[in-house]
Amino acid sequence: DADVTQTPRNRITKTGKRIMLECSQTKGHDRMYWYRQDPGLGLRLIYYSFDVKDINKGEISDGYSVSRQAQAKFSLSLESAIPNQTALYFCATSDPGTDSYNEQFFGPGTRLTVL
Amino acid sequence: AQSVTQLDSHVSVSEGTPVLLRCNYSSSYSPSLFWYVQHPNKGLQLLLKYTSAATLVKGINGFEAEFKKSETSFHLTKPSAHMSDAAEYFCVVRDRGSTLGRLYFGRGTQLTVWP
């Protein structure tokens, strides 16, 4: 879905390097999320943000940090990448509104390999 | 606490035969339930969602799921598989009693469709 874009789509880096993954959305949603996907484990939440001034840790935030530069932009950083951070990373957005059933809309993913 | 168990990591069917992907959930409150599909090298796409208006939920591409509270299940079905259905499927639960909007993902079921 072109409404949520992620850059880069693929990245290979070395242990110890700093990496930033970027997410942009044109849906006008306040809520944004970062997940990582590992084979056989589904998606796990890293960080989430309900607005520009609100950042919250998810279930696996260690080794990661985020920045919400604007309503439309949410970046994920790996300060010092390690091999077990090799995974597929997804950004997602949602609009809570008054509908508690609103789904999340996902970007195409960034495949990160740490050597 | 919320959690999702997808009972099969892999399901294989022949084209034209029925599909059944099983999902059990646990939720402290009334849940929202979703099925997402992920085609190779693609992001996640919403197939259907349970909104409590009806226990039988119809989604895109001929898929449907039935919410059974007594069995805490939300199995995904399709009467006749198509080659294009080959993908990974995720069952997802959200606690409607929570304002956080977090989603909890199952580990995924890989569907293979044989010609």
Side-chain angles (χ1 to χ4, degrees):
Chain A
D1 190 328
D3 295 330
V4 183
T5 58
Q6 293 182 233
T7 56
R9 294 295 310 279
N10 288 282
R11 182 71 184 269
I12 299 174
T13 191
K14 294 182 179 180
T15 297
K17 294 292 187 180
R18 184 178 187 275
I19 296 296
M20 179 179 286
L21 309 183
E22 299 186 346
C23 176
S24 296
Q25 53 113 346
T26 58
K27 301 186 80 67
H29 290 171
D30 287 328
R31 296 185 174 187
M32 298 187 73
Y33 308 80
W34 275 105
Y35 294 90
R36 66 176 279 174
Q37 182 183 19
D38 298 279
L41 294 181
L43 274 72
R44 293 179 292 166
L45 183 64
I46 306 172
Y47 270 96
Y48 60 102
S49 169
F50 283 177
D51 63 41
V52 175
K53 297 180 181 179
D54 177 79
I55 301 290
N56 303 281
K57 292 183 177 181
E59 57 186 306
I60 54 164
S61 59
D62 287 349
Y64 301 94
S65 62
V66 292
S67 174
R68 185 79 182 268
Q69 301 94 324
Q71 186 205 37
K73 295 184 181 298
F74 192 36
S75 300
L76 176 72
S77 294
L78 288 67
E79 297 301 326
S80 179
I82 57 176
N84 75 2
Q85 291 178 312
T86 294
L88 186 57
Y89 290 85
F90 286 103
C91 174
T93 73
S94 71
D95 179 10
T98 58
D99 180 0
S100 64
Y101 307 111
N102 275 350
E103 74 263 27
Q104 293 182 10
F105 297 85
F106 287 82
T110 294
R111 186 168 297 280
L112 177 66
T113 302
V114 183
L115 302 176
Chain B
Q2 300 81 45
S3 68
V4 175
T5 301
Q6 291 185 241
L7 299 170
D8 307 290
S9 58
H10 291 86
V11 170
S12 294
V13 300
S14 297
E15 191 173 23
T17 64
V19 175
L20 170 63
L21 305 183
R22 299 182 294 166
C23 172
N24 287 106
Y25 69 91
S26 66
S27 177
S28 302
Y29 303 94
S30 297
S32 294
L33 293 159
F34 308 83
W35 276 98
Y36 280 85
V37 60
Q38 183 183 24
H39 287 93
N41 301 313
K42 300 288 187 181
L44 280 77
Q45 179 185 18
L46 182 70
L47 271 181
L48 50 80
K49 61 183 178 182
Y50 168 65
T51 65
S52 81
T55 56
L56 184 61
V57 182
K58 294 187 182 298
I60 62 172
N61 301 332
F63 284 93
E64 60 183 37
E66 186 171 9
F67 173 69
K68 293 187 176 181
K69 185 176 181 179
S70 61
E71 299 177 7
T72 61
S73 69
F74 191 57
H75 301 333
L76 182 70
T77 61
K78 183 173 180 178
S80 177
H82 191 273
M83 295 295 290
S84 62
D85 295 328
E88 189 158 25
Y89 292 79
F90 293 96
C91 183
V92 182
V93 65
R94 175 188 167 180
D95 177 6
R96 283 165 40 196
S98 167
T99 58
L100 297 181
R102 284 187 56 177
L103 301 182
Y104 294 85
F105 284 77
R107 295 191 172 197
T109 298
Q110 185 68 46
L111 176 65
T112 299
V113 182
W114 301 102

